[in-house]
Amino acid sequence: MKHRWMVLLLILLLVLSACSGTKEMTMYYKQREISYDGSGLIGSQTVRCPEPVTAKSLADIYFGLEPEDDLCDPFPEDTKRVKSRIEDGILYLTLSESFGTLEGAELSLAMTCITMTFSQLPDVEAVELSVENGFLQEQQSIRLSADDVMTQDDGLGALDVVLTVYRAGDG
């Protein structure tokens, strides 16, 4: 009798664990070693997240995760989600003050990684980043969508130019 209850309990635990689903999400980070041979500036790793995946749960995982060996965080170490809300397809994400220390290319890279990560959420079309008690590049907030992000520079391959060369004559 005792053995039967243990078997039933084990089956129940297996069923419950199968019901609690997970979803694979891609986390985007800066490449540890930047190369110009095709691997680029940004790399990714896949992580299993418990469902339902929300902006808050994704932020907790993303900012708390230690990236794989060939990747590194593009933002200051103590960057955290302060608050977030999704409205009309825009994820309004407020980060801790340390994120506001980023400037120029480093800020662009960090924003790109964050936007690509959070744009996977089904109701997110763009991410608007702001900093608690601060500014980003002297702005209240900056909005970026995944469509705004250029992940590979393939512009040279797509450009066909016809040139006509004229030379001055002798007469």
Side-chain angles (χ1 to χ4, degrees):
M1 182 76 163
K2 196 177 208 182
H3 180 69
R4 184 180 297 166
W5 283 106
M6 289 178 62
V7 170
L8 287 173
L9 183 60
L10 180 61
I11 291 171
L12 181 62
L13 287 173
L14 288 173
V15 169
L16 288 175
S17 66
C19 290
S20 63
T22 60
K23 181 174 181 163
E24 285 191 350
M25 300 294 287
T26 304
M27 308 293 186
Y28 293 90
Y29 295 101
K30 179 179 169 183
Q31 291 278 7
R32 188 170 301 280
E33 292 187 32
I34 298 171
S35 68
Y36 300 96
D37 64 356
S39 61
L41 297 170
I42 297 174
S44 65
Q45 71 184 64
T46 303
V47 175
R48 289 192 160 288
C49 300
E51 288 190 316
V53 180
T54 64
K56 180 187 181 317
S57 67
L58 185 58
D60 291 342
I61 294 168
Y62 183 61
F63 293 115
L65 186 67
E66 182 68 33
E68 294 175 346
D69 291 340
D70 57 336
L71 305 173
C72 61
D73 289 329
F75 31 80
E77 186 176 322
D78 54 345
T79 298
K80 294 178 181 64
R81 180 196 69 86
V82 174
K83 60 184 173 181
S84 58
R85 77 181 197 295
I86 299 174
E87 187 177 303
D88 297 328
I90 309 298
L91 168 61
Y92 295 91
L93 184 60
T94 302
L95 300 176
S96 52
E97 290 182 43
S98 61
F99 190 80
T101 63
L102 294 175
E103 295 179 333
E106 291 299 318
L107 176 61
S108 296
L109 183 61
M111 287 182 54
T112 298
C113 291
I114 291 169
T115 300
M116 291 173 63
T117 298
F118 286 88
S119 291
Q120 296 172 83
L121 295 172
D123 46 353
V124 174
E125 297 169 16
V127 177
E128 186 165 315
L129 290 168
S130 61
V131 176
E132 182 180 44
N133 303 322
F135 293 93
L136 290 170
Q137 297 272 5
E138 300 179 9
Q139 298 178 56
Q140 199 68 28
S141 64
I142 300 175
R143 183 180 295 181
L144 189 63
S145 74
D147 292 339
D148 297 332
V149 174
M150 181 176 71
T151 57
Q152 290 187 345
D153 184 5
D154 59 356
L156 291 177
L159 183 62
D160 289 329
V161 177
V162 177
L163 297 176
T164 304
V165 178
Y166 295 95
R167 298 178 202 195
D170 288 338

